[in-house]
Amino acid sequence: MTKLKEKYLVDDKGDRIGVIIDIQRYQKILEELEELEAIRAYDLAKASGDKAIPFEEAVKEIESKR
């Protein structure tokens, strides 16, 4: 993992209240979070023991509930 070069926002007391990071690093973090969410969803689906259905059928079912 690369070292972050963040800058902190502080309040009047000097307490950290926010952070500023490079936009490219922020975008990379968002991409990694999205991938992690997909992995977690996959793991939950596998652990549920539910019957697998074809992707197209799942899409149709989701769209019919909109």
Side-chain angles (χ1 to χ4, degrees), residues 5-58:
K5 297 177 183 170
E6 67 274 1
K7 296 177 184 176
Y8 297 99
L9 300 173
V10 295
D11 63 12
D12 293 338
K13 299 176 187 175
D15 295 326
R16 293 177 180 175
I17 58 170
V19 66
I20 300 173
I21 60 173
D22 179 72
I23 191 70
Q24 289 85 10
R25 182 65 184 142
Y26 174 73
Q27 290 170 337
K28 180 72 173 160
I29 290 170
L30 290 180
E31 290 171 6
E32 290 173 0
L33 282 173
E34 186 175 323
E35 185 174 342
L36 181 58
E37 288 174 0
I39 291 168
R40 287 181 176 162
Y42 174 82
D43 289 345
L44 284 172
K46 290 294 278 185
S48 73
D50 289 344
K51 178 184 163 209
I53 60 172
F55 177 75
E56 294 80 13
E57 185 178 328

